[in-house]
Amino acid sequence: MTHLERFLATVERRPADRPATWLGIPDPRACPQLFDYFGVSDMRGLKARLDDDIYPVEMPYHSPSADAIYLALNFAQETAVPDERTLTRPGFFERCSDPADVDLFDWPDPARYIDPELCRKAVDDVPDDYAVMGVVWSAHFQDACAAFGMETALIKMLDEPEMFRAVINRIAGFYLKANEIFYEATKGKLHAVLIGNDFGSQNGLMVSPGSLREFVFDGTRKLIRQAQSYGLKVIHHSCGSVYDIIPDLIELGADAIHPIQALAAKMEAWRLKESFGDRVSFCGGVDAQHLLVNGKPEEIRARVEELKALFPTGLIISPSHEAILPDVHPANIEALFSINQS
């Protein structure tokens, strides 16, 4: 099977020669040791060496204040830390209570900062036969938390729901417009898209399922439907323990849920397979909190074989977080991809 054929079969839970795999998006600080260990000079060479199946392409976004779509909305009242969302700092709307105040923020126009030609080039540069996945994130919930400061945002949801709703809906609208530019520019060349928000902590959800249904999932539904209208598979990301809202994500239309954060509560691979394996696919499962950091290659290989036996299809085998950090030894990444050489 080609990489694309294997990806589609895995996500659609059809028989495949082996489960699809995805390296994730290694942290730039981890790349030098990965390249050196595998004897390659760049990410293209690394993915070929691993026989990886999915090639992620981040949506090109370049404004005077941001070079990534997930940093496009800077709500910080104080000086922001470069390349970080300011969830724990006071946000622009911290003291706002009138939904009309949503217009006080200087909302960027994504059409000014997303060049369709750069989008096409980014996708055209992907080697043939890969499953090409657009990374657009569209984290409207996380950005809404940053818009107030996270603690204030969660209080606003309860005490001033119309204010919170006005902000999160405006953020979702920003991403819908941005994504449309990207999807139109790359029509027929993308196969999947990665979107999502972090809803979970290690032990449970950060907010109740009811609050997510009331304030967040309408935007999620629109983002998923928009992507699927372009024929794309939607991989929905959320770190943490999200077991209790997986039925919601299925109802919203997600094709696969990323990641299986292996050590989070109720996120064991066997439990997800038993509860939802005939209704949705997954991506992840190889613990990046402990196993990939502290384990030996033979332990990683054994874990991969366990996952393969549990999910002969329906699971893209991948680290349980998309970012490989420098504390993961390349030998353990080699062991994770042993499935591709067996």
Side-chain angles (χ1 to χ4, degrees), residues 290-291 294-306 332 335:
H290 175 76
L291 182 61
N294 301 308
K296 297 178 181 179
E298 55 266 29
E299 294 174 297
I300 283 85
R301 282 192 289 270
R303 177 58 178 159
V304 169
E305 288 301 319
E306 290 174 5
N332 285 350

Side-chain angles (χ1 to χ4, degrees), residues 18-23 51-54 316-317 337 339-340:
R18 61 166 173 79
T21 56
W22 182 38
L23 173 65
D51 197 25
D52 202 6
D53 292 305
I54 301 173
I316 300 165
I317 294 179
F337 281 86
I339 190 174
N340 295 356

Side-chain angles (χ1 to χ4, degrees), residues 68-91:
I69 188 65
Y70 56 84
L71 298 172
L73 300 174
N74 180 6
F75 295 111
Q77 292 185 31
E78 305 167 4
T79 302
V81 178
D83 300 328
E84 289 187 13
R85 245 190 222 100
T86 53
L87 288 170
T88 59
R89 300 183 178 192

Side-chain angles (χ1 to χ4, degrees), residues 140-262:
H140 63 306
F141 171 66
Q142 287 176 242
D143 280 333
C145 290
F148 297 95
M150 189 160 189
E151 184 176 352
T152 302
L154 300 183
I155 293 171
K156 292 278 187 182
M157 290 175 74
L158 299 176
D159 288 351
E160 300 176 21
E162 292 310 311
M163 183 68 222
F164 185 88
R165 186 174 287 108
V167 171
I168 195 171
N169 288 349
R170 186 67 170 266
I171 293 168
F174 169 84
Y175 284 121
L176 288 164
K177 183 174 182 180
N179 293 353
E180 182 178 16
I181 297 167
F182 185 53
Y183 298 156
E184 284 290 331
T186 60
K187 188 181 294 185
K189 298 180 179 182
L190 287 179
H191 306 111
V193 63
L194 181 67
I195 70 168
N197 291 274
D198 287 339
F199 298 134
S201 68
Q202 190 73 16
N203 296 311
L205 294 168
M206 290 189 287
V207 296
S208 71
S211 292
L212 293 174
R213 292 168 193 144
E214 182 177 356
F215 295 102
V216 180
F217 286 162
D218 180 63
T220 302
R221 188 189 311 276
K222 290 175 181 175
L223 290 161
I224 290 175
R225 288 181 175 176
Q226 179 192 44
Q228 291 176 336
S229 75
Y230 285 87
L232 305 178
K233 298 293 186 186
V234 176
I235 300 178
H236 188 285
H237 167 89
S238 175
C239 289
S241 175
V242 295
Y243 180 90
D244 291 342
I245 57 165
I246 288 176
D248 295 274
L249 296 176
I250 294 170
E251 188 275 330
L252 292 168
D255 295 291
I257 295 169
H258 169 271
I260 297 180
Q261 186 170 318

